[in-house]
Amino acid sequence: QVQLVESGGGLVQPGGSLRLSCAASGIIFRLNAMGWYRQAPGKQRDLVAFITSGGTTNYADSVKGRFTISRDNAKNTMYLQMNSLKPGDTAVYYCSLLASDRNYWGQGTQVTVSS
């Protein structure tokens, strides 16, 4: 029932920008907290940023000042604007619904930062 579909990943040079999107369905989007996670090969999946139903945001220290999480409730879509990208940002980025007892996940979208 819950479906989360990421898009917007790709290959970008260091210092460049990308905007990821997460289209949600099967939920009352405006009532849910949402988050972006990322996972590099051989590494744990880590929280990048989250946004509450009220619009409060939090960011991992590694992306503060460079990434911006937002949501458009009218479009049932969450975004991650990524600026000043670094090679260390290379990972699969996952959209997640932060439910009370579990996270729901999208399929992920690859972000590669390389010159």
Side-chain angles (χ1 to χ4, degrees), residues 61-109:
D61 288 343
S62 58
V63 307
K64 283 181 179 176
R66 300 187 298 121
F67 291 10
T68 303
I69 189 171
S70 62
R71 63 194 296 163
D72 186 339
N73 290 338
K75 296 182 178 180
N76 284 3
T77 302
M78 177 179 64
Y79 304 96
L80 186 68
Q81 179 66 47
M82 305 186 295
N83 299 325
S84 302
L85 283 161
K86 305 174 180 180
D89 297 319
T90 295
V92 177
Y93 283 70
Y94 295 90
C95 173
S96 184
L97 167 69
L98 309 181
S100 297
D101 298 326
R102 60 163 288 184
N103 285 21
Y104 293 84
W105 300 99
Q107 83 287 350
T109 186

Side-chain angles (χ1 to χ4, degrees), residues 5-87:
V5 180
E6 302 95 332
S7 62
L11 175 64
V12 65
Q13 295 182 9
S17 297
L18 286 172
R19 189 180 75 161
L20 306 184
S21 299
C22 172
S25 62
I27 60 170
I28 306 175
F29 181 80
R30 62 181 174 85
L31 300 182
N32 286 279
M34 303 288 295
W36 286 100
Y37 290 71
R38 67 187 182 187
Q39 187 169 26
K43 301 295 184 180
Q44 183 178 350
R45 186 175 299 185
D46 291 325
L47 180 67
V48 175
F50 72 86
I51 183 166
T52 69
S53 61
T56 300
T57 59
N58 279 273
Y59 299 89
D61 288 343
S62 58
V63 307
K64 283 181 179 176
R66 300 187 298 121
F67 291 10
T68 303
I69 189 171
S70 62
R71 63 194 296 163
D72 186 339
N73 290 338
K75 296 182 178 180
N76 284 3
T77 302
M78 177 179 64
Y79 304 96
L80 186 68
Q81 179 66 47
M82 305 186 295
N83 299 325
S84 302
L85 283 161
K86 305 174 180 180

